[in-house]
Amino acid sequence: ARSLNGVIRELGRKSIALVTDMNQPLGYAVGNSLEVLECLKILKGEECVPDLTEICLELGARMLVLGEKAPQASQARKILEDRLASGKALKKFEEMLIAQGGNPRVIDDESIMDVSPLSREITASSDGFLSRFDTREIGNACMILGAGRATYDASIDVGVGLILHKKIGDKVQKNEPLFTVYYRSEEPLAQAMKRLEQSCAISPSFVSAPQLIREEIQ
């Protein structure tokens, strides 16, 4: 981030970078349609997704500062929070969707996103605190399900993926759901489930939640 900022300054441009934690997925959804639906719920005020909302507000605030729409990030953030609470952010999303040829009905009709009706849960093997995610393995599992490409010419199934039910630092009980996996067929599901089961760890002792934003670089 520092070297990139240096290049940008040499080109006569301004930049701000945030160094953020990537040891677990942002939000609770992983997969194309599932992630869009999660964002829509945030825009509509239907769901609280603290880490995803926080990073969007902080990044957006820096964008407003760089665009000279606000003198400081704190003031810019207040503008964004007001837009989110008033529904103006959702309205702008709808305008952007229409401008790009999308279907605005998706805002009120989740079925358009074609999320697979088939799902399976992965549960905790013991009581304790969620201590670790292997985000690479989570990504590999979703690719196996069809949510990502193994090769450049592979097709993507927008309706598969997973929902996390816990984040690092959360207390868990044995047999409590950790993931809900959305899939189309059994064969890739078995491979994905094996990877997901190995992608997280539970500690018997308390684990603190990771710091989301670690540094700001200008």
Side-chain angles (χ1 to χ4, degrees), residues 37-176:
L37 291 173
E38 181 175 56
C39 291
L40 277 171
K41 289 176 181 177
I42 294 172
L43 288 171
K44 294 162 75 173
E46 296 178 354
E47 191 168 294
C48 177
V49 187
D51 58 345
L52 179 56
T53 303
E54 178 70 11
I55 201 69
C56 288
L57 289 172
E58 289 298 318
L59 287 171
R62 270 66 176 186
M63 291 172 70
L64 289 186
V65 171
L66 289 172
E68 300 181 349
K69 299 298 183 181
Q72 296 178 345
S74 58
Q75 294 166 295
R77 177 170 173 138
K78 182 63 167 61
I79 293 171
L80 296 177
E81 289 173 339
D82 289 345
R83 296 291 193 276
L84 189 60
S86 68
K88 289 182 179 179
L90 178 63
K91 182 62 178 176
K92 180 57 66 175
F93 172 79
E94 182 180 16
E95 292 172 5
M96 294 169 64
L97 192 59
I98 293 171
Q100 295 181 57
N103 187 347
R105 284 180 46 232
V106 70
I107 293 173
D108 299 306
D109 184 0
E110 292 188 1
S111 67
I112 292 174
M113 299 305 293
D114 190 31
V115 174
S116 174
L118 302 175
S119 66
R120 188 81 58 83
E121 287 188 345
I122 295 176
T123 59
S125 58
S126 62
D127 295 344
F129 296 84
L130 191 61
S131 61
R132 179 186 63 85
F133 278 117
D134 184 334
T135 51
R136 182 185 294 274
E137 278 298 89
I138 291 174
N140 286 335
C142 287
M143 181 184 68
I144 290 168
L145 291 170
R149 290 188 177 95
T151 59
Y152 78 94
D153 57 346
S155 60
I156 287 180
D157 185 340
V158 299
V160 299
L162 60 90
I163 298 292
L164 283 74
H165 296 288
K166 298 291 182 179
K167 289 297 192 82
I168 295 175
D170 287 349
K171 187 175 183 179
V172 299
Q173 295 181 323
K174 186 176 181 179
N175 297 325
E176 191 175 10

